[in-house]
Amino acid sequence: MIDAVLEQLTAIERAVEDDQGSWYQVAVRPYLTLDNRIDGTVISLVDINDVKKGEQRIARARQYAEEIVDTVRESLIVVDRDLRVRSANRAFYRTFQLTADEVQGQYLYELSQGEWNVPRLRTLFEELGEGKTLEGFALEQEWKRVGFRAFVLNARRIEHTPSLLLAFQDVTERRRATQAVQRSETGFRELLTTAAEAIVMVDVTGKVAFANHMATQTFGFTADEMLGLSVEKLLPEQLRAIHVTHRAAYLADPKPRPMGRDRRLVGLRKDGTEFPIEVLLGSMESAGGPLVVAFISDISLRRESERKIREYQDKLQRMAFVYTPQVMLQGR
């Protein structure tokens, strides 16, 4: 350093570490005499150990954080105020099949030949101030390299910086599974719509989520009136409170079984008339959560037939009681 200063006649500074691990800022400057002649050098040392150790701790912390970010399964990307990419983790590169050269320093909306230029997304980013967050933004589209992908995007301004952190959760398989369930559910409901038995599906809140044609005819409601109706409205008022309890118990252990075994069940039509019913309970999973499926039979005709049979049997018994003594006398 001394030779370089004497040769170049300019000061040189350098951070150095001694054999004890302490750091100093060493400066070597030309020494000028009173008559402005170079007559050697001046060497000064400033203790920068605390500063240097702090920088090392920060560097280690940054490296540690970067390694953690790289192991996160979510795709993460940091962009600056102008939405130019500053960094991205491995999951991001892997998910979108991009390289660091294609991403680093590029504008977000220019990635993958403009595939990220989504107008609604741009508007949301522009409105995202410091301390604000973007939660649960659905981003679904066909990507040239990876095909159809569905993501849930969360974003927030990094505190005390102009940078924006974007996190992409890949929900493609979940979305496909949901669509499959919806298609299956739709087909199942279409099949049940024309069933000859009244069928009602009820969600966990006790609201009717589906009622087929026979159910609307049985209870006297229109299809629109049935949807969203509390299932307790299909029962006489004196049975509603206990039904709420039974419904909660069934949801806790949903197995196919008759409803109200050994009980006489009664339904309530829209016009207020009551009628005897039998109910077989089942359950199914839907896109919106579990549903209780009730197969309901109006047994009014059966009960009337049973009543007439009992009356006929009672009449026969009375007739037998009246005529038996006469028969016995005639036999003597």
Side-chain angles (χ1 to χ4, degrees), residues 281-300:
L281 295 177
S283 65
M284 64 172 289
E285 287 294 331
S286 72
L291 295 174
V292 177
V293 184
F295 299 84
I296 305 169
S297 300
D298 180 351
I299 58 173
S300 300

Side-chain angles (χ1 to χ4, degrees), residues 20-305:
Q20 302 299 316
S22 298
W23 285 86
Y24 298 89
Q25 186 72 16
V26 178
V28 180
R29 296 177 175 83
Y31 172 69
L32 295 178
T33 62
L34 292 177
D35 54 358
N36 287 330
R37 288 185 302 103
I38 302 296
D39 191 19
T41 59
V42 177
I43 302 174
S44 62
L45 294 88
V46 178
D47 188 340
I48 60 169
N49 191 61
D50 291 341
V51 175
K52 195 66 176 180
K53 295 296 186 183
E55 291 176 351
Q56 290 175 339
R57 286 193 294 270
I58 292 173
R60 286 195 297 268
R62 182 182 294 112
Q63 182 180 2
Y64 179 71
E66 290 175 351
E67 289 175 354
I68 292 177
V69 168
D70 267 344
T71 61
V72 172
R73 299 178 66 179
E74 277 188 315
S75 298
L76 303 178
I77 187 172
V78 177
V79 296
D80 62 18
R81 188 193 306 274
D82 299 322
L83 298 182
R84 190 185 292 273
V85 179
R86 295 183 56 190
S87 64
N89 69 347
R90 294 178 186 173
F92 180 87
Y93 296 128
R94 183 172 58 251
T95 298
F96 294 98
Q97 295 185 10
L98 295 169
T99 65
D101 291 339
E102 294 173 309
V103 173
Q104 294 283 355
Q106 302 298 316
Y107 287 108
L108 179 66
Y109 302 130
E110 295 178 356
L111 295 180
S112 301
Q113 300 179 347
E115 285 184 318
W116 293 79
N117 192 5
V118 181
R120 185 169 166 231
L121 194 59
R122 296 190 69 150
T123 301
L124 291 173
F125 285 159
E126 290 169 0
E127 297 174 351
L128 197 63
E130 186 172 355
K132 293 185 178 180
T133 61
L134 171 64
E135 300 287 343
F137 178 81
L139 181 62
E140 299 181 6
Q141 66 181 52
E142 192 77 21
W143 305 83
K144 293 178 181 178
R145 295 190 182 182
V146 297
F148 174 80
R149 284 290 186 275
F151 297 96
V152 173
L153 170 61
N154 299 317
R156 67 179 302 138
R157 292 282 178 189
I158 300 176
E159 192 173 0
H160 305 309
T161 75
S163 298
L164 187 66
L165 173 64
L166 312 179
F168 299 86
Q169 181 183 4
D170 192 339
V171 295
T172 305
E173 295 306 318
R174 186 192 310 171
R175 178 66 174 144
R176 287 172 177 163
T178 300
Q179 290 174 337
V181 170
Q182 289 174 339
R183 288 193 297 269
S184 176
E185 182 182 344
T186 299
F188 183 59
R189 293 190 182 199
E190 289 175 353
L191 178 65
L192 297 183
T193 296
T194 57
E197 189 174 17
I199 302 173
V200 175
M201 296 183 186
V202 181
D203 63 21
V204 293
T205 67
K207 303 295 184 182
V208 175
F210 170 82
N212 69 349
H213 295 322
M214 183 56 68
T216 58
Q217 292 177 10
T218 300
F219 289 94
F221 290 92
T222 66
D224 290 338
E225 289 173 334
M226 285 283 281
L227 289 179
L229 184 71
S230 171
V231 69
E232 274 74 38
K233 295 291 185 181
L234 305 180
L235 301 172
E237 189 169 354
Q238 66 271 19
L239 300 178
R240 293 174 183 174
I242 188 65
H243 184 264
V244 172
T245 303
H246 289 167
R247 179 162 52 81
Y250 181 78
L251 285 170
D253 185 22
K255 297 179 180 178
R257 64 172 176 80
M259 178 179 172
R261 188 182 287 109
D262 301 328
R263 294 190 181 94
R264 288 184 174 269
L265 302 179
V266 180
L268 181 69
R269 294 190 174 93
K270 180 182 177 181
D271 62 9
T273 58
E274 299 181 3
F275 62 102
I277 58 175
E278 283 185 350
V279 182
L280 179 64
L281 295 177
S283 65
M284 64 172 289
E285 287 294 331
S286 72
L291 295 174
V292 177
V293 184
F295 299 84
I296 305 169
S297 300
D298 180 351
I299 58 173
S300 300
L301 294 178
R302 188 202 306 170
R303 288 289 171 81
E304 180 63 18
S305 299

